[in-house]
């Protein structure tokens, strides 16, 4: 990637923001080396890593990045035989502990994060080495007494000597207190001494190690403890030698695991780096881009990554589908350069594995080369003017670009004669377009406004300027070239109208026509925006009204069913009472002596009629079985299997008495006598409009499709078709169906979501995955 481009687009500032999000020094070092990649597979891998980490953050889970250190230098020293000090050993133990914590955290997560779990496989816990270091060195960096039996013995000897020395010195402070400046025991040159008054030096006797600034106090080692102090120093030397031996052994053990420890550090740094990318995405409210190698950039509400959220103005930016070049015109300080940098910086970020500050569904191309000629780059040392400086850079760019390049020109052709500059700019753009590179250029030249209209592969754009407030809005307007607004601004600032009128008379006819055309386009655009806002408002109100109607209708249906149920219960109670009374009468008659008046079969028949008087008011939910044996069954007919008590569909007719039927997810063979006809298969009308053919569930053989395509339908028709389709899918027993509503304005998707929320038999739903249609598809789980 071109280093100059990274500098001009301020990619280093993005790196600085990323480094602030790291939790470890090794992760910070890795972030500082961030570079954009150019291979699609590498970039997709990085983006997936970032997305996995972002998924963990959205679940409000935090990786335990406990304190750790960059122990690389210590490991190198251990390899060449240097002895590590206690601090270095403790840092290595802490790094082992940090790696183990991170590994345990990632591995215990139940989420689907294969890339992160694969990284922590390289972390080896090294429990034994960590324990060995902690057993020999305490948290304050001191080698403990139990580090070795010899050290323990030596330190016991040291404490004995120190105790005996202090005891003798305390005796002297009591017996010779008048000779001392202060009755204390202190240390000079690692030897115990007393503060003796100068005049009593001979009386105390011994070695002078120091004196006060006035010379009146001498710090003397009394003759009585010289030998003890010597023995103490010998013990201290032995202690240092034993500590050195202990640290040498620890260093050797650490050196044995050098390669493993380096892998641990690299894995920890990588995990920290990935989560830093995810945290930066959260802070920027960024989205994962969909990548392509077709040179297509399509970002909705893209924002400049380095401008604070409260100040930045978002823009819709698209290039690469039907046009390969964008020419942006507009006033100074209107945001042209910001737009240029937004495109370049977002592309660099995406190719470096970072998510970009734009809406979900954004698309970005992967470019092998990105070039930018932005800003005033006069060179006094090279004696180059602004024009010469820009042209030198452009010459270098033109030698390198191809169909895999993105080129960004700021004020193309500026700094020279306007006519020559405009002509040169058009020629340069023609050459870049001929090479099939993607190019975005900003300019002041009015000639380039017409340039965009005369070439199919070029799109005009402008940054909006509010003439009322005399301020730029920083909005990018695709398809509309910018106006100069010089006359309008002058008029509002108070310039006399006669002067403005005279100035207009100097304009050529072509210039007037271009300005009038641009003004008409702006008026049309603003009217269209107002109409769109009004349409959105009406649509929203209509959806709310329909939702209320659906809710009320469901209440009505529920109340109706409840009334039917109450009526059935009431009738059932009355019938049960009639049965009981009839049974009493039958029993009494049977006990009569003359039974010839009553036939037993008549009693049985009457009882059967009474039992069959069961009420059934919910006829709409029952199946009419009157014509069961008379109906000729055909493929596609709906039937009910009497044994299974399930609704199904005939998918194959073997003969008049044997059929293959689909019941839910089952495909079975059934006899005619076991089947009850429900309704005939629906035949499509010849004059019906053709519909997109949706994918059938071929594995089960069912006649209801697993997908419903609502694209192109009116909202009301789509919702009615959706309601009927879900009912049919529930009857067929499908566990899951897919609704294709497209992206568009989002009205159909919102309608589908509202319907889902009100349907009692829908368990859950989600938007389609990357290979399922994305946000243009909703997958529904049925009860």
């Amino acid at each position: 990637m071109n280093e100059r481009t990274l500098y001009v687009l301020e990619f280093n500032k993005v790196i600085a923001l990323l480094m602030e999000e790291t939790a470890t020094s090794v992760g910070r070092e890795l972030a500082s080396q961030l570079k954009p990649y150019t291979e699609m597979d590498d970039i997709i891998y990085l983006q997936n890593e970032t997305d996995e980490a972002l998924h963990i953050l959205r679940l409000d889970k935090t990786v335990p990045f406990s304190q750790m250190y960059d122990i690389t230098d210590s490991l190198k020293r251990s390899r060449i035989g240097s002895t590590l000090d206690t601090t270095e050993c403790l840092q290595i133990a802490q790094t082992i502990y940090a790696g183990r914590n991170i590994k345990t955290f990632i591995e215990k997560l139940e989420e689907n994060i294969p890339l992160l779990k694969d990284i922590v496989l390289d972390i080896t816990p090294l429990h034994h080495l960590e324990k060995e270091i902690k057993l020999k060195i305490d948290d304050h960096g001191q080698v403990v007494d139990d580090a070795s039996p010899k050290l323990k013995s030596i330190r016991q000897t040291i404490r004995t000597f120190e105790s005996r020395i202090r005891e003798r010195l305390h005796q002297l402070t009591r017996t010779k207190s008048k000779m001392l400046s202060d009755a204390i025991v202190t240390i000079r040159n690692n030897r115990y001494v007393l503060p003796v008054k100068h005049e009593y030096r001979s009386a105390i006797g011994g070695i002078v190690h120091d004196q006060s600034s006035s010379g009146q106090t001498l710090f003397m080692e009394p003759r009585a403890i010289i030998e003890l102090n010597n023995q103490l120093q010998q013990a201290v030397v032995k202690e240092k030698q034993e500590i050195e031996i202990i640290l040498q052994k620890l260093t050797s053990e650490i050196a044995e695991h050098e390669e493993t420890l380096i892998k641990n550090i690299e894995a920890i740094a990588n995990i920290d780096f990935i989560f830093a990318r995810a945290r930066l995405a959260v802070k920027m409210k960024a989205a994962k881009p969909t990548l392509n190698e077709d040179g297509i950039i399509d970002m909705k509400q893209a924002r400049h990554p380095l401008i604070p959220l409260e100040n930045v103005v978002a823009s819709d930016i698209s290039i690469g589908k039907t046009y390969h070049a964008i020419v942006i015109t507009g006033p100074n300080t209107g945001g042209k350069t910001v737009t240029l940098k937004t495109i370049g910086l977002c592309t660099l970020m995406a190719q470096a594995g970072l998510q970009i500050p734009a809406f979900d569904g954004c698309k970005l191309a992967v470019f092998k080369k990105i070039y930018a000629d932005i800003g005033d780059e006069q060179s006094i040392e090279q004696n180059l003017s602004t024009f010469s400086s820009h042209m030198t850079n452009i010459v270098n760019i033109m030698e390198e670009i191809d169909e895999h390049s993105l080129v960004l020109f700021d004020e193309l052709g500026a700094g020279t004669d306007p006519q020559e500059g405009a002509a040169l700019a058009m020629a340069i753009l023609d050459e870049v377009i001929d090479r099939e590179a993607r190019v975005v250029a900003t300019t002041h030249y009015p000639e380039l406004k017409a340039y965009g209209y005369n070439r199919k592969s070029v799109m005009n754009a402008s940054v909006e300027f509010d003439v009322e407030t005399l301020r730029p809005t920083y909005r990018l307007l695709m398809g509309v070239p910018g106006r100069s607004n010089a006359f309008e601004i002058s008029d509002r600032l108070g310039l006399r109208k006669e002067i403005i009128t005279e100035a207009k008379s100097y304009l050529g006819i072509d210039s007037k026509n271009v300005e009038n055309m641009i003004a008409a386009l702006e008026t049309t655009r603003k009217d269209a925006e107002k109409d769109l806002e009004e349409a959105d408002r009406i649509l929203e109100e209509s959806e709310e009204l329909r939702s209320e109607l659906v809710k009320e209708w469901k209440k009505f249906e529920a109340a109706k069913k409840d009334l039917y149920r109450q009526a059935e219960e009431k009738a059932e109670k009355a019938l049960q009472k009639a049965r009981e009374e009839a049974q009493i009468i039958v029993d009494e008659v049977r006990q009569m002596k003359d039974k010839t008046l009553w036939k037993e079969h008549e009693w049985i028949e009457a009882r059967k009629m009474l039992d069959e008087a069961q009420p059934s008011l919910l006829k709409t939910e029952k199946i009419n079985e009157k014509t069961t044996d008379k109906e000729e069954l055909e493929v596609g007919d709906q039937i009910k299997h009497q044994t299974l008590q399930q609704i199904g569909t005939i998918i194959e007719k073997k003969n008049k008495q044997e059929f293959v039927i689909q019941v839910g997810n089952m495909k079975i063979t059934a006899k005619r006598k076991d089947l009850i006809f429900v309704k005939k298969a629906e035949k499509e009308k010849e004059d019906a409009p053709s519909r997109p053919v949706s994918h059938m569930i071929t594995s089960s053989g069912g006649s209801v499709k697993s997908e419903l395509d609502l694209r192109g339908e009116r909202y009301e028709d789509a919702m009615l078709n959706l309601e009927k389709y879900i009912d049919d899918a529930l009857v067929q027993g499908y566990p899951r169906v897919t609704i294709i509503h497209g992206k568009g304005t989002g009205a159909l998707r919102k309608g589908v979501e509202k319907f889902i929320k009100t349907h009692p038999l829908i368990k859950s739903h989600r938007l389609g995955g990357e290979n399922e249609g994305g946000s243009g598809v909703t997958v529904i789980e049925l009860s």
Side-chain angles (χ1 to χ4, degrees):
M1 192 60 65
N2 186 283
E3 289 294 331
R4 185 177 179 283
T5 298
L6 299 179
Y7 171 76
V8 168
L9 293 176
E10 301 178 293
F11 188 67
N12 61 309
K13 293 184 179 179
V14 174
I15 293 176
L17 293 176
L18 181 63
M19 291 173 66
E20 290 177 4
E21 300 301 325
T22 57
T24 68
S25 59
V26 290
R28 194 171 301 111
E29 177 63 25
L30 200 57
S32 70
Q33 301 169 11
L34 180 69
K35 296 287 182 184
Y37 287 74
T38 56
E39 294 300 324
M40 174 70 84
D41 291 343
D42 294 336
I43 298 167
I44 289 175
Y45 187 87
L46 291 172
Q47 286 289 348
N48 288 339
E49 282 183 338
T50 306
D51 201 48
E52 284 188 7
L54 195 59
H55 178 63
I56 302 304
L57 295 182
R58 285 173 180 152
L59 295 175
D60 203 23
K61 295 181 180 179
T62 305
V63 182
F65 286 110
S66 52
Q67 187 178 15
M68 63 161 292
Y69 305 88
D70 185 355
I71 57 174
T72 307
D73 290 341
S74 298
L75 293 176
K76 289 179 181 177
R77 290 181 58 244
S78 72
R79 185 179 68 244
I80 62 176
S82 297
T83 302
L84 302 183
D85 60 30
T86 55
T87 301
E88 290 175 301
C89 291
L90 279 181
Q91 288 178 352
I92 290 169
Q94 181 62 30
T95 301
I96 295 172
Y97 172 78
R100 186 173 71 251
N101 270 4
I102 293 169
K103 181 183 180 74
T104 302
F105 173 81
I106 296 294
E107 289 182 339
K108 284 186 176 180
L109 290 172
E110 297 179 357
E111 282 68 32
N112 183 28
I113 47 171
L115 301 182
L116 292 177
K117 289 187 176 181
D118 187 54
I119 292 172
V120 298
L121 288 176
D122 289 337
I123 298 178
T124 305
L126 294 177
H127 293 282
H128 173 74
L129 180 59
E130 180 191 355
K131 184 179 180 181
E132 189 70 16
I133 295 172
K134 291 290 183 69
L135 284 175
K136 289 181 168 52
I137 304 172
D138 63 22
D139 294 337
H140 304 290
Q142 301 296 320
V143 178
V144 299
D145 293 356
D146 293 328
S148 74
K150 186 175 180 179
L151 180 63
K152 187 173 184 179
S153 174
I154 292 171
R155 284 186 172 171
Q156 184 61 45
T157 301
I158 289 172
R159 283 190 284 270
T160 299
F161 284 132
E162 286 177 338
S163 177
R164 290 168 61 185
I165 289 170
R166 285 181 177 279
E167 183 179 346
R168 292 195 182 185
L169 290 177
H170 283 307
Q171 287 178 358
L172 289 173
T173 58
R174 288 194 297 270
T175 59
K176 301 184 182 293
S177 58
K178 291 181 180 180
M179 301 179 184
L180 305 177
S181 298
D182 198 355
I184 61 170
V185 175
T186 186
I187 295 175
R188 291 291 187 277
N189 298 327
N190 295 322
R191 299 177 77 89
Y192 285 92
V193 295
L194 292 175
V196 179
K197 293 178 181 178
H198 188 275
E199 59 268 26
Y200 295 109
R201 171 178 180 175
S202 300
I204 295 294
I207 302 171
V208 176
H209 289 280
D210 197 5
Q211 67 178 12
S212 65
S213 57
S214 64
Q216 297 301 311
T217 300
L218 303 175
F219 294 95
M220 295 184 64
E221 179 183 2
R223 189 180 297 107
I225 66 164
I226 289 176
E227 184 57 31
L228 286 174
N229 256 335
N230 289 339
Q231 292 174 340
L232 174 62
Q233 291 307 309
Q234 290 173 4
V236 168
V237 170
K238 290 179 181 179
E239 178 192 30
K240 288 180 180 179
Q241 291 172 345
E242 182 61 20
I243 288 174
E244 182 72 14
I245 292 170
I246 292 168
L247 292 177
Q248 283 177 352
K249 288 181 179 179
L250 278 179
T251 301
S252 297
E253 288 187 51
I254 290 168
E256 290 175 7
H257 296 92
E258 179 199 8
E259 186 176 341
T260 302
L261 285 166
I262 288 174
K263 284 185 177 180
N264 283 10
I265 296 169
E266 290 173 349
I268 294 169
N270 200 8
I271 291 290
D272 186 20
F273 178 42
I274 292 168
F275 274 89
R277 302 200 307 254
R279 283 189 287 270
L280 184 62
V282 172
K283 189 169 286 187
M284 287 186 174
K285 295 184 178 179
K288 180 183 178 183
T290 301
L291 302 170
N292 66 83
E293 293 181 307
D294 304 319
I296 297 172
I297 297 175
D298 187 11
M299 297 185 288
K300 303 297 182 185
Q301 297 298 288
R303 307 181 303 276
H304 192 289
L306 301 178
I307 300 177
L309 286 172
E310 60 272 16
N311 298 330
V312 71
V313 175
S315 297
D316 295 344
I317 302 170
S318 181
I319 185 175
K321 292 181 181 178
T322 57
Y323 49 90
H324 294 174
I326 300 176
V327 176
I328 306 174
T329 51
N332 283 332
T333 70
K336 298 194 303 296
T337 304
V338 169
T339 301
L340 213 60
K341 288 187 174 181
T342 299
I343 297 170
L345 204 47
C346 284
T347 302
L348 291 174
M349 288 174 64
Q351 292 186 206
L354 300 173
Q355 296 194 356
I356 64 169
F359 279 4
D360 287 337
C362 51
K363 298 177 182 177
L364 282 174
V366 173
F367 294 101
K368 302 292 184 185
K369 306 169 187 175
I370 300 176
Y371 299 100
D373 179 61
I374 298 174
D376 183 5
E377 299 183 22
Q378 277 193 36
S379 175
I380 296 174
E381 295 166 349
Q382 298 179 9
N383 193 26
L384 295 175
S385 66
T386 301
F387 176 77
S388 299
S389 176
H390 280 289
M391 195 50 59
T392 300
N393 189 34
I394 290 171
V395 168
N396 294 331
I397 291 173
M398 298 300 288
E399 291 176 353
E400 300 289 337
I401 58 173
D402 56 24
E403 68 274 16
H404 302 297
S405 302
L406 172 66
V407 187
L408 306 172
F409 289 129
D410 189 27
E411 299 300 342
L412 183 60
T416 186
D417 177 77
Q419 284 188 327
E420 292 181 358
L424 196 57
M426 288 187 282
I428 291 170
L429 288 175
D430 282 341
E431 177 66 19
V432 175
I433 293 168
D434 287 344
R435 296 195 197 179
E436 297 185 358
R438 302 300 183 264
V439 57
V440 183
T442 68
T443 182
H444 278 101
Y445 295 136
E447 290 85 350
L448 287 176
K449 299 174 185 178
Y451 173 85
Y453 283 104
N454 296 328
R455 289 165 176 78
K456 291 182 179 179
S457 58
V458 181
M459 172 63 70
N460 272 321
S462 61
V463 284
E464 189 178 50
F465 187 86
D466 190 339
V467 181
E468 299 295 327
T469 61
L470 301 182
R471 290 183 180 179
T473 66
Y474 302 104
R475 289 179 59 205
L476 180 68
L477 306 177
M478 298 295 293
V480 181
R483 297 174 62 196
S484 64
N485 297 306
F487 295 142
E488 289 83 352
I489 294 171
S490 300
D491 182 43
R492 289 201 166 271
L493 293 176
L495 188 65
R496 294 206 327 266
K497 294 188 181 295
E498 307 90 75
I499 298 175
I500 295 173
T501 302
E502 185 177 355
K504 287 180 178 180
S505 68
Y506 293 142
L507 281 177
I509 295 175
D510 290 340
S511 298
K512 290 179 181 179
N513 289 339
V514 169
E515 288 298 315
N516 291 336
M517 177 189 67
I518 295 173
L521 283 172
E522 287 188 351
T523 302
T524 303
R525 177 186 58 78
K526 290 178 180 178
D527 291 343
E529 287 179 352
K530 290 180 181 178
D531 291 343
L532 181 60
E533 290 176 2
E534 180 65 15
D536 287 341
R537 184 187 63 78
I538 293 172
L539 179 61
E540 188 175 350
E541 290 177 356
S542 300
E543 288 176 350
E544 289 177 359
L545 180 59
R546 182 189 178 281
S547 178
E548 291 176 5
L549 288 173
V550 169
K551 192 181 297 182
E552 292 300 322
W553 175 256
K554 288 186 176 181
K555 284 183 182 178
F556 168 75
E557 286 291 326
K560 183 178 74 173
K561 289 181 180 180
D562 190 51
L563 288 173
Y564 278 144
R565 194 172 293 105
Q566 291 177 17
E568 283 186 354
E569 290 174 356
K570 188 174 181 181
E572 173 63 27
K573 289 179 181 178
L575 189 59
Q576 183 62 31
K577 185 177 180 183
R579 286 197 193 100
E580 293 172 356
E581 291 176 353
Q583 187 62 45
I584 293 172
I585 295 171
V586 170
D587 291 343
E588 289 178 353
V589 171
R590 282 177 174 168
Q591 292 175 6
M592 294 172 59
K593 293 180 179 180
D594 189 2
K595 298 182 180 178
T596 58
L597 298 174
W598 303 90
K599 304 287 187 181
E600 185 65 23
H601 71 275
E602 293 177 349
W603 289 109
I604 295 172
E605 187 67 26
R607 177 60 183 269
K608 183 179 178 183
M609 291 174 62
L610 189 63
D611 288 339
E612 288 177 349
Q614 177 72 26
S616 182
L617 298 177
L618 294 174
K619 294 181 181 177
T620 56
E621 298 178 359
K622 308 285 184 180
I623 295 175
N624 186 353
E625 301 174 358
K626 293 181 181 179
T627 60
T628 300
D629 296 324
K630 298 179 182 179
E631 194 70 40
E632 182 72 15
L633 298 182
E634 298 295 340
V635 173
D637 290 351
Q638 266 196 3
I639 47 83
K640 177 179 179 182
H641 195 290
Q642 295 188 90
T643 305
L644 298 177
Q645 288 297 303
Q646 293 288 326
I647 299 294
T649 304
I650 295 176
I651 60 174
E652 183 184 342
K653 182 178 181 180
K654 292 189 173 182
N655 52 57
K656 288 187 177 182
Q657 299 301 321
E658 194 171 26
F659 301 84
V660 178
I661 66 171
Q662 178 74 39
V663 179
N665 291 327
M666 297 187 301
K667 186 161 60 175
I668 60 176
T669 302
K671 300 291 185 182
R672 175 65 181 84
K673 61 184 179 64
D674 296 324
L675 304 178
I676 300 172
F677 172 77
V678 177
K679 66 177 182 178
K680 297 297 289 181
E682 294 183 4
K683 296 182 179 179
E684 294 183 0
K685 297 180 181 179
E686 292 181 0
D687 57 345
S690 62
R691 299 282 297 144
V693 179
S694 296
H695 174 66
M696 303 284 286
I697 298 184
T698 55
S699 60
S700 62
S703 62
V704 176
K705 301 170 184 176
S706 67
E707 296 179 354
L708 176 63
D709 193 342
L710 300 177
R711 293 174 295 182
E713 294 189 4
R714 292 177 64 253
Y715 182 86
E716 294 77 7
D717 294 339
M719 294 301 103
L720 290 174
N721 289 339
L722 175 61
E723 187 171 6
K724 181 179 181 304
Y725 172 74
I726 293 299
D727 290 342
D728 291 343
L730 286 166
V731 170
Q732 286 292 79
Y734 289 160
R736 183 185 303 103
V737 294
T738 301
I739 308 301
I740 304 173
H741 44 67
K743 298 178 182 178
T745 62
L748 279 179
R749 177 175 59 78
K750 292 178 182 177
V752 171
E753 288 180 354
K754 287 186 178 180
F755 172 81
I756 288 170
K757 290 177 182 177
T758 59
H759 201 291
L761 296 179
I762 292 178
K763 286 196 298 187
S764 63
H765 71 286
R766 63 177 174 81
L767 290 177
E770 188 172 340
N771 297 324
E772 296 175 317
S775 60
V777 165
T778 297
V779 180
I780 296 175
E781 302 286 341
L782 301 174
S783 300

